[in-house]
Each structure stands twice: as structure tokens, then as C-alpha cells.
Amino acid sequence: MKVAWASSLLALCITAVQAHVQAPALDCVAPPISPADRIYTGDQSSNTITVIQPATGAVLGTISLGDTRLGAVLNPQYTKSVNAHGLGFSRDGKYLVSLSVTTNTATVIRCADNVIVSQTYTDRNAHEAFFAADNRTVWVGTRGVDNITIIDGIKGGVIDRIYSKGGPSKVLFSPDGKTAYANHINGTYISILDVETRRETAQVTGLADKFSSDMMLSADGDRLWVAHKMVGKVSIVSLKQRKVVAVLDTGAETNHPNFAIINGTTHGFVTVAATNETKVYKQPDADQAPQYIGSIKSSGIEPHGLWPSPDNTRMYILNEHSDTVDEVDLTVRPPAIVRTLNVGQEGQALVYVAGAAPDFKNSTETLVRQGLHGTPASNKLITLQGALSGPETKHAASALVTVRQQDGLDMFQVIGRDLPLGRTYTVSAACLTCGGHQIPLVDFKPTVPGKTGCGTAPQVLAFFKFFGVYDLDSLTMTEAKPSS
């Protein structure tokens, strides 16, 4: 009886399969993973987009958007993009849009041959964007101003702006393409906009925090999960009721949410960077709170972007501080990592585009190897040394140190966590050629306050020669001595 039921279900799925479906997708509507499908990652430090063929797991190469993070970007003659970050795509799978947050550029790329077809200077801090259902206009969340910028993705150029107070961060569209949703980095609400008139028609208020960098819409269009990185929460929005129905305490440095359908039920996935895991929730009813069912431990450090395959059999998770992508099999219980791929440096966003490259030859000949270093990023978690008189904290004061090889100099990055505010901290390491003496490398202060008198330093950067000069295992963090 079970075999007969399974056979009939398979036949039903095969009958329902459509030729061209993008993820996240409804159950039984998309074909299996195809050689024409592509995965793209936005690599901030190498300033590239990594191109992956999911059917084989092959990293085909990268699309260069400019020089690496400290290449020629400080040169007064430099005119290329800086800091590749967000990614979006057209529903027909023909175009990819990349956002560069430093140069405020939206770059549209033809997926079939990886050629740039337009580049538009938008308003301040272009973060995330998506094509509207017309497969031409791109709606950009520009976090530095109070409006959504609309550009012509094919010809290039700004064609309209929509007022949206609070620094819109990302724009998503309903399955029918008639409604757009925008979150913000300084507003506890979601803007609901009519696509045809380009006007806000309603708001969903009462989000868990005013800062929301990322969000995701489920395949059925009934739920919107809104991530709050600074406070480690996710607001669960029912779009049927247009209200917040639950708030999840997901954990420090919550990054991106996404969805897949498993056994006919919508499941939400949330990357949590500080604990190096992706939390998994089951939500059969969009009007009810999700149920936590477990987590997927990352193979690397700081999971960030993620996206499912349209057939709901895989989830691809980008590890920002390891420069890798984990391929997760959703057909087994519990879901398991089956493959890890090396990609460009400091990946932020990841998207899966079905049918992006029907001609394999044309889809690879323009790719380069920028950012695909043979030496992976090195990471070390260190705790604060010495007793301090600061307030008690739930977690030990610590810092994640990441070191990457780049052309010329190495990139030295520190994320400070749960550190008493108003103080300066020093990260040091033993010098290999100086008799092992501990040398101060960088000073920093926490800049983002928490609720306990402590705070975080989200990104401290320094560039110097590290590998071959200092010992990674000797890294320490201390409170800086007051200057005389």
C-alpha cells in the first residue's frame, strides 16, 4: 500500500512539473537540478561573483567586478566597483544583478555568457535588489537614503524612486508579481507596495527590532521571515493577516532566512553566524509560530547567504569566513552536508538560478580565477585575557579573527563580541622572526551596544603581511593600556 501511494505521488509530481521554476518553489513543480542551473555567490573581499554548476559541484570560475579589497581601489583613477555584496535575479533566469555597497553600483549580468549588460550608479549603500516580474526593472534597497531605487536592468539608468523611510535594505516580490515588500535598517516595519503604481499601500508594523538587513518570502507568498542581525531574532510575518505572528530567538549575528518544502510542509532555514549553524523550523501554517526542529552545523565559519534548489532537495549555505559553500541534502533525516566547495573571498549573498546557462561552452569562456585562492582563510576564536571590572555578561568576551591571503598584503579581520563598552582592546600575535615576542597588531573599540553594557565590533579591518610573519595560534586579545 505504501509503495502504491509513493508511486502515485511521484506520478502526480511528474505531471505537475513545470519547465522553468525559480526557488524557493512549491512542492512538485520544478524539474530536478539541471546542468544548466547556476549558483552565484557575492564575494565582498575578492570583489567577485563565484559561478557554480550545482549538478556537478564544479566551481566554474568567477566574474570580476573590479580589484580585490585593497588592490587599486584607493587609486584616484580607479573607476570599477568595490565590495560585491547582494545578489538578485530575473524570474526567467536570464539576468543576475549584483550590488556593490561601497560604490553604490547595480551591475546586471547576462547569465548565459557572464557578460555585463548594464551598470547603474544608484543611491547610497545599494544592498540587495531583485528584478520585478517584467524581467527588466530592478528594485534596489538603498540603505543610505529613504527610498527604493528602480533601474532599467537592460539599458541601465535610474527610472524612478519610491519613498520608503528608514533605509530600505531589500525588496522582494509576491508570486504574482503585483506586490513588493521592503524591509529597513532603521524602521520596525515592512513596506507593502503596489508594483503597478509604485506606491506604498500598507505597512506591517511591530517587528522585533528596527534593524533588518535581510528577509525572505516563502514560495506560496503567505509568509515573510524578517531577520534582525543585531539582536539575534527573526520576525515571523503572516502576509495573509499582514501582521507579526511570532518572534524567534535565533542567536547572535543572525543573517539570512530562506525556505524549502519537506514532506509537503514549509520549513524555514536561518543562518546564525556566531554559532556556525543554520537553524531549521517547521511552519505548516503561516498564521502560527514555527516549531524549531534542529540545526545544521556548518563545515566552516559564519554561515551567511543560503538558497534552496527549486526541486526542494538541496540547500546551499555560504560560509562567509571560510570562503566555502556547503551543499546540504534535504532528502535525508536529519539534513546533512554532502559536499563543500571553495569559492571567492568573504561571501555575503548566495542565489540559485534555474536555467541560467543552457549553453555550457558560452557560460564559462569569460570566467576568471580571481578570488579562488589555493590557501583557505584562517580563523581563530580568542577570549579576552585578564580580569576586567565591567558588567557581567552571559557569554565570555571574545573575538573571531580571520586572516586571508590577498595580492600584496593579507587581510586581517576582527569581530569583537560581548566586550564592555567604552574601552579599547588590542589583538596581538607572536612574531616568528623576532624570537616569539608578542607584537600588537590592531586596536579597536566595540561600536554596537548590546543590552548588558557590552557591545560588538562588527568588522575591524587591517592589511599587512601576516602569513609567514606571525603565528596564528599565538593570537591574544587584551584591554589596551592607557596612553601616557
Side-chain angles (χ1 to χ4, degrees):
M1 190 69 177
K2 289 182 179 178
V3 174
W5 179 83
S7 299
S8 62
L9 180 60
L10 179 60
L12 179 62
C13 282
I14 291 173
T15 302
V17 164
Q18 301 172 21
H20 199 78
V21 177
Q22 301 298 343
L26 297 171
D27 209 10
C28 297
V29 300
I33 294 171
S34 162
D37 297 350
R38 292 291 181 269
I39 293 169
Y40 302 92
T41 67
D43 316 317
Q44 187 164 265
S45 287
S46 56
N47 208 11
T48 56
I49 299 168
T50 301
V51 184
I52 301 167
Q53 185 182 51
T56 61
V59 177
L60 302 177
T62 59
I63 303 166
S64 174
L65 297 177
D67 288 8
T68 55
R69 195 155 202 172
L70 201 67
V73 297
L74 300 181
N75 188 312
Q77 284 83 41
Y78 184 83
T79 58
K80 301 175 185 177
S81 296
V82 179
N83 280 11
H85 196 100
L87 294 173
F89 54 88
S90 59
R91 296 187 179 196
D92 60 9
K94 292 182 178 181
Y95 297 103
L96 180 77
V97 58
S98 167
L99 290 309
S100 298
V101 293
T102 301
T103 45
N104 311 316
T105 42
T107 303
V108 174
I109 298 161
R110 188 167 51 236
C111 296
D113 55 10
N114 306 305
V115 170
I116 293 174
V117 298
S118 74
Q119 191 168 76
T120 300
Y121 288 93
T122 69
D123 291 321
R124 184 76 175 94
N125 202 236
H127 180 246
E128 295 275 4
F130 255 87
F131 278 83
D134 62 6
N135 294 313
R136 181 163 191 137
T137 54
V138 181
W139 294 39
V140 184
T142 43
R143 299 196 294 189
V145 294
D146 289 335
N147 58 252
I148 296 163
T149 307
I150 302 179
I151 67 173
D152 185 325
I154 310 305
K155 289 185 177 181
V158 175
I159 58 176
D160 206 352
R161 291 179 172 87
I162 304 173
Y163 179 76
S164 189
K165 185 175 176 59
S169 185
K170 186 173 186 175
V171 183
L172 296 171
F173 295 91
S174 60
D176 64 8
K178 296 180 180 180
T179 305
Y181 305 94
N183 61 339
H184 306 78
I185 62 167
N186 192 27
T188 57
Y189 75 101
I190 296 294
S191 292
I192 300 178
L193 305 111
D194 178 71
V195 172
E196 184 178 8
T197 62
R198 297 177 182 170
R199 293 183 178 180
E200 183 179 274
T201 58
Q203 293 182 354
V204 176
T205 59
L207 299 181
D209 188 59
K210 67 178 182 179
F211 184 94
S212 171
S213 186
D214 199 78
M215 63 177 180
M216 196 60 207
L217 184 68
S218 61
D220 57 13
D222 289 342
R223 68 208 84 202
L224 185 71
W225 286 25
V226 186
H228 306 289
K229 186 184 184 83
M230 300 303 183
V231 296
K233 298 179 185 292
V234 175
S235 296
I236 308 301
V237 176
S238 165
L239 292 177
K240 294 190 292 184
Q241 299 187 58
R242 291 189 171 181
K243 74 173 187 178
V244 176
V245 296
V247 174
L248 305 179
D249 289 312
T250 44
E253 298 171 39
T254 289
N255 274 321
H256 291 198
N258 217 311
F259 298 95
I261 296 178
I262 301 174
N263 292 335
T265 299
T266 297
H267 286 62
F269 297 74
V270 181
T271 52
V272 186
T275 52
N276 300 319
E277 64 184 328
T278 298
K279 293 191 172 181
V280 186
Y281 301 82
K282 180 169 64 175
Q283 192 186 24
D285 186 345
D287 294 334
Q288 302 296 321
Q291 175 188 354
Y292 175 71
I293 60 173
S295 74
I296 303 165
K297 296 300 292 185
S298 295
S299 71
I301 306 298
E302 296 247 337
H304 200 136
L306 76 169
W307 213 272
S309 58
D311 65 358
N312 290 291
T313 65
R314 292 290 191 270
M315 183 67 70
Y316 298 88
I317 303 171
L318 178 60
N319 298 308
E320 177 182 348
H321 284 248
S322 297
D323 305 334
T324 58
V325 169
D326 288 335
E327 178 184 341
V328 178
D329 186 352
L330 300 181
T331 68
V332 298
R333 301 293 173 269
I337 296 172
V338 294
R339 183 159 47 193
T340 298
L341 308 173
N342 296 316
V343 295
Q345 294 181 311
E346 202 183 4
Q348 306 293 304
L350 180 151
V351 294
Y352 186 115
V353 183
D359 185 340
F360 180 78
K361 182 179 183 297
N362 288 338
S363 72
T364 58
E365 59 185 15
T366 57
L367 297 177
V368 297
R369 305 300 294 177
Q370 181 176 319
L372 299 177
H373 284 257
T375 303
S378 296
N379 291 276
K380 187 171 179 62
L381 185 65
I382 56 178
T383 56
L384 181 63
Q385 292 187 351
L388 293 174
S389 58
E392 293 184 0
T393 59
K394 182 178 178 181
H395 304 287
S398 64
L400 173 66
V401 179
T402 303
V403 190
R404 289 182 173 88
Q405 275 193 343
Q406 291 199 324
D407 296 336
L409 297 175
D410 299 324
M411 175 178 151
F412 189 85
Q413 181 176 354
V414 180
I415 299 177
R417 297 167 174 161
D418 296 297
L419 295 167
L421 295 167
R423 297 172 179 174
T424 301
Y425 302 91
T426 300
V427 176
S428 306
C431 174
L432 297 173
T433 59
C434 327
H437 292 292
Q438 206 76 3
I439 306 297
L441 302 178
V442 65
D443 289 349
F444 70 94
K445 292 182 178 180
T447 55
V448 180
K451 294 182 178 180
T452 61
C454 292
T456 62
Q459 189 177 69
V460 179
L461 288 178
F463 293 85
F464 52 88
K465 190 66 176 175
F466 182 90
F467 292 110
V469 179
Y470 300 100
D471 177 20
L472 181 75
D473 291 330
S474 71
L475 285 166
T476 60
M477 177 174 59
T478 58
E479 185 178 355
K481 295 179 181 180
S483 57
S484 56

